[in-house]
Amino acid sequence: MVHYFAPPLSVLAPFLFLSLGSTLLLPQLGLCVATMANSVGEENFAPSLSTPILTYENEVFISFHAEDTGTRFTSHLFAALERKRIHAYRGEFIQAELMKAIETSRIAVVVFSKNYATSNWCLDKLVKIMECKRVLNQTVLPIFYDVSPSEVRKHKRNLAEAILNGPEDKVNIWKATLKDVANLAGLHLKPYQ
């Protein structure tokens, strides 16, 4: 059973616990943040014998559509993580470097927004994130910002148009990946709630 959290608070309220250190308001993100806050430096991680040992360079990788959330929600999320001294990747937008940053991050946060899927690049990063979830046991936390999990899962609104206009060799992969990530437990937020 998938659970979505829609706290009746302002957009930033779910992340205030990061700076206040109060009781974990959102269990999944809270667990991730508690784990990160207690870690020091790089660690080796071997979730199973068949998985390679991984050294984390970043505690969090955040995938987002810059025009939708870059100067609003996502910038506040980066600031909240920084205040807690949680290292979130903020590097170059070069494809090879981004893919390596995804692979070497302990947690991936995907901020879905109205135009997230209009970017082939965002969808390619999402495919890589879900691959790392399967292969490296990476934690993935979807945040549905002004878009519902159902819209992502069923490819509604801008998602449908973007997928229909995508390259044929990637469309089916994107559809399956969007459905998989939308079925994960995550946060459902509305702007200025």
Side-chain angles (χ1 to χ4, degrees), residues 128-178:
K128 182 64 173 182
I129 287 167
M130 292 304 284
E131 176 187 316
C132 289
K133 177 181 177 17
R134 282 188 306 277
V135 175
L136 303 173
N137 206 23
Q138 183 180 69
T139 300
V140 177
L141 175 64
I143 297 176
F144 302 93
Y145 183 80
D146 199 23
V147 63
S148 75
S150 176
E151 289 172 304
V152 173
R153 188 180 308 106
K154 295 176 182 176
H155 318 117
K156 302 250 178 173
R157 294 185 359 185
N158 289 357
L159 293 159
E161 183 181 324
I163 289 174
L164 290 175
N165 295 328
E168 283 185 40
D169 61 327
K170 294 184 177 184
V171 169
N172 289 332
I173 294 168
W174 289 345
K175 284 181 177 180
T177 302
L178 285 165

Side-chain angles (χ1 to χ4, degrees), residues 50-110:
S50 63
T51 304
I53 294 177
L54 177 65
T55 301
Y56 292 109
E57 294 179 17
N58 309 294
E59 291 170 307
V60 179
F61 181 91
I62 301 174
S63 177
F64 61 99
H65 190 272
E67 292 175 19
D68 282 353
T69 65
T71 59
R72 296 176 300 181
F73 174 78
T74 307
S75 64
H76 294 288
L77 176 57
F78 274 114
L81 292 170
E82 189 175 299
R83 281 192 300 275
K84 284 300 275 183
R85 292 182 172 84
I86 296 170
H87 183 261
Y89 177 78
R90 274 192 159 180
E92 297 294 320
F93 292 102
I94 300 168
Q95 184 172 1
E97 186 175 325
L98 280 173
M99 294 302 178
K100 181 177 185 273
I102 292 169
E103 290 174 358
T104 59
S105 295
R106 181 186 308 263
I107 296 168
V109 174
V110 181

